[in-house]
Amino acid sequence: MSAPSTTLRIDEQEIPFVPGQTIMDAALAANVYIPHLCHYPGLPPSGNCRLCIIEIGNRSVAACITLASAGQEIRNNTAELNEARKVITQMLFIEGNHICPSCEKTGNCKLQAMAYFLGMLDDHFSQFYPHRDLDASHPRILLDRSRCIVCDLCVRASREIDGKNVFAIAGRGTQAHLIVNSPSGKLVDSAIAITDAAATICPVGAILIKEQGYQVPIGQRIYDQRTIRETALQESIGTRAKNDGD
Amino acid sequence: MAIKPKLKIATTSLAGCFGCHMSFLDMDERLEELFEQVEFDRSPFTDIKQCGPCDIGLIEGGVCNAENVQVLREFRAQCTTLVAVGACAINGGVPALRNYFDVQDCLNEVYLSGIGVSDPQIPSDPELPLLLDKVYAVSEVVFIDYFLPGCPPSAEDFLQLLEPLLIGQTPMLSKSHLRYD
């Protein structure tokens, strides 16, 4: 890895970056947390969740798709931005059916952990209560589209890591939804396997490995122990250590 | 010194499971302290049939039928501070899973075509409240002042809500306490 050639500032803190790096990657490398759901270290950014909204001067941009450049003065952890992030999280909750008490991802879900982190007490907006198709055709993997937040992490993971291109987003506007690239449109007729990154990368309870629910006792689940901030920073350190070792 | 009048609290369960009320009782011996400062108006814990003027109203459960709407409006009219308690009141909760289906299909399945049904008929006595097309969050029907998430919220959460309210302050649920499950 080449030495950082220059720096930017996030909330008054000097952060080094490598030219070509996004603000998100530079921040995570410097152990600075910018809230995010659709960003995943190593995968190309998508910029669709908007949780990583930051301010540079009088412009709001998404940190995951904006390149770092010298001398940027960035606001990240401000009350206003965290309030905006909470509203975005509320929108994600009402657009799907996020009935946490009956979801097997509860306690291990990034959307839920984000809502805890931002102090979300209620959904504020009217619920959509959408009716979206559930795909239980695969013997080992369940796809419950009612919880999908269309972050397209599974789409990217399947294409970039697994080399299978199992998933895609179809439809426009509020009708946008996850589809399976198989002749029948069913998961069982796709090439997906439970060892694929796409099968486990889902940040919410939309793609689940079957018969593994409720195995971790309450109190020992991921976000029972740590906030999404602490978990993301730890994962980032782990990813860098792995990449440096390669 | 004049004895401070006790604050009045009303509680109800709409499309709830009474789990939030049980969690309220989980305050255990701390309830004794609480009762030095508050008294209950209409509540499943009392025999009062109509809600009178109250300081705090606690609503458990979503809104699933016509009677729920009526009770919720009565509470809103009588309570200075109305609190949506638990996942059901906040977003419909687990009962809102019926929103995937047509309400008539649900009734047909249970009362007409369900396994083991004898003398199939859908109850139609006017004594019975009609179901709404969907299960709704209480904030869809009336204005709500505070939300206490959880399914159910813990006894500690109830204390975090009530202690500031009793001294006229704004409740601030600590983030480490937040749970929706």
Side-chain angles (χ1 to χ4, degrees):
Chain A
M1 217 165 110
S2 60
S5 63
T6 187
T7 62
L8 51 79
R9 287 160 74 85
I10 300 179
D11 294 334
E12 312 291 307
Q13 188 186 336
E14 197 96 356
I15 308 275
F17 70 91
V18 182
Q21 210 174 18
T22 61
I23 295 171
M24 175 67 81
D25 287 332
L28 282 174
N31 220 28
V32 169
Y33 178 64
I34 302 176
H36 58 272
L37 286 175
C38 76
H39 170 79
Y40 195 87
L43 280 177
S46 172
N48 64 53
C49 80
R50 310 318 281 187
L51 260 299
C52 69
I53 185 170
I54 51 167
E55 286 172 345
I56 308 173
N58 55 9
R59 269 169 57 78
S60 301
V61 298
C64 70
I65 48 169
T66 305
L67 288 180
S69 72
Q72 279 170 330
E73 291 282 346
I74 294 167
R75 287 187 299 282
N76 166 44
N77 188 21
T78 69
E80 290 81 4
L81 282 170
N82 285 331
E83 185 61 27
R85 288 164 179 149
K86 189 174 88 179
V87 172
I88 291 168
T89 309
Q90 288 170 323
M91 290 178 184
L92 290 171
F93 266 83
I94 60 108
E95 282 170 16
N97 294 321
H98 297 284
I99 314 287
C100 301
S102 71
C103 178
E104 37 185 279
K105 199 65 176 274
T106 185
N108 297 317
C109 168
K110 287 186 180 171
L111 178 66
Q112 185 190 57
M114 183 62 74
Y116 292 160
F117 178 73
L118 297 168
M120 185 184 110
L121 294 179
D122 72 306
D123 298 329
H124 184 77
F125 303 103
S126 290
Q127 302 283 334
F128 280 23
Y129 294 130
H131 190 175
R132 304 192 197 129
D133 286 338
L134 182 139
D135 183 348
S137 63
H138 196 282
R140 303 295 307 278
I141 302 168
L142 176 79
L143 171 56
D144 184 347
R145 292 183 176 88
S146 71
R147 299 179 190 135
C148 176
I149 57 170
V150 204
C151 67
D152 85 357
L153 273 175
C154 57
V155 178
R156 284 176 278 158
S158 186
R159 198 169 51 212
E160 308 289 334
I161 302 177
D162 308 328
K164 291 183 178 176
N165 199 22
V166 167
F167 295 105
I169 306 295
R172 289 171 181 275
T174 54
Q175 302 302 310
H177 62 285
L178 188 64
I179 58 165
V180 176
N181 289 323
S182 67
S184 62
K186 294 285 182 193
L187 216 46
V188 69
D189 297 320
S190 77
I192 197 167
I194 56 165
T195 48
D196 287 355
T200 51
I201 202 168
C202 183
V204 296
I207 301 174
L208 294 167
I209 306 297
K210 288 185 177 178
E211 294 174 29
Q212 287 195 356
Y214 310 118
Q215 286 188 351
V216 181
I218 291 173
Q220 293 174 28
R221 302 167 303 182
I222 297 169
Y223 300 108
D224 288 338
Q225 326 225 9
R226 275 182 286 277
T227 66
I228 193 167
R229 176 185 174 278
E230 292 159 341
T231 310
L233 290 176
Q234 259 180 356
E235 277 173 7
S236 157
I237 292 168
T239 310
R240 283 202 304 285
K242 193 167 143 271
N243 291 345
D244 290 347
D246 286 345
Chain B
M1 199 176 88
I3 296 169
K4 221 173 99 194
K6 287 183 176 181
L7 290 188
K8 282 207 164 181
I9 296 187
T11 79
T12 190
S13 178
L14 305 175
C17 70
F18 281 93
C20 293
H21 276 84
M22 295 309 293
S23 205
F24 184 95
L25 295 182
D26 279 343
M27 276 189 262
D28 297 334
E29 72 275 11
R30 285 170 293 185
L31 283 168
E32 213 179 304
E33 248 171 82
L34 185 68
F35 289 148
E36 286 168 16
Q37 301 178 68
V38 306
E39 61 184 336
F40 279 114
D41 194 274
R42 175 177 172 170
S43 164
F45 302 140
T46 69
D47 210 16
I48 300 168
K49 309 296 183 201
Q50 293 289 324
C51 186
C54 283
D55 300 287
I56 302 165
L58 303 179
I59 308 283
E60 165 195 328
V63 184
C64 80
N65 66 31
E67 192 224 0
N68 291 161
V69 177
Q70 196 186 350
V71 172
L72 182 55
R73 286 182 175 155
E74 176 190 323
F75 268 68
R76 179 69 276 182
Q78 298 289 358
C79 301
T80 311
T81 301
L82 199 60
V83 187
V85 175
C88 297
I90 290 172
N91 64 17
V94 173
L97 288 170
R98 87 145 148 98
N99 295 351
Y100 287 146
F101 309 100
D102 184 79
V103 66
Q104 193 63 47
D105 289 345
C106 293
L107 289 168
N108 291 350
E109 177 71 26
V110 173
Y111 290 108
L112 299 183
S113 59
I115 296 165
V117 172
S118 57
D119 187 19
Q121 52 178 313
I122 293 174
S124 59
D125 193 291
E127 282 269 311
L128 300 171
L130 287 170
L131 292 182
L132 305 181
D133 64 332
K134 282 183 162 60
V135 176
Y136 292 94
V138 294
S139 60
E140 298 263 15
V141 181
V142 297
F143 179 81
I144 297 294
D145 297 284
Y146 296 110
F147 298 87
L148 196 64
C151 187
S154 67
E156 201 58 45
D157 293 341
F158 277 102
L159 281 171
Q160 280 205 12
L161 171 88
L162 291 174
E163 280 172 350
L165 280 181
L166 292 180
I167 52 172
Q169 288 178 355
T170 303
M172 288 286 286
L173 199 64
S174 65
K175 285 183 186 178
S176 60
H177 264 267
L178 262 184
R179 292 288 177 265
Y180 307 145
D181 59 358

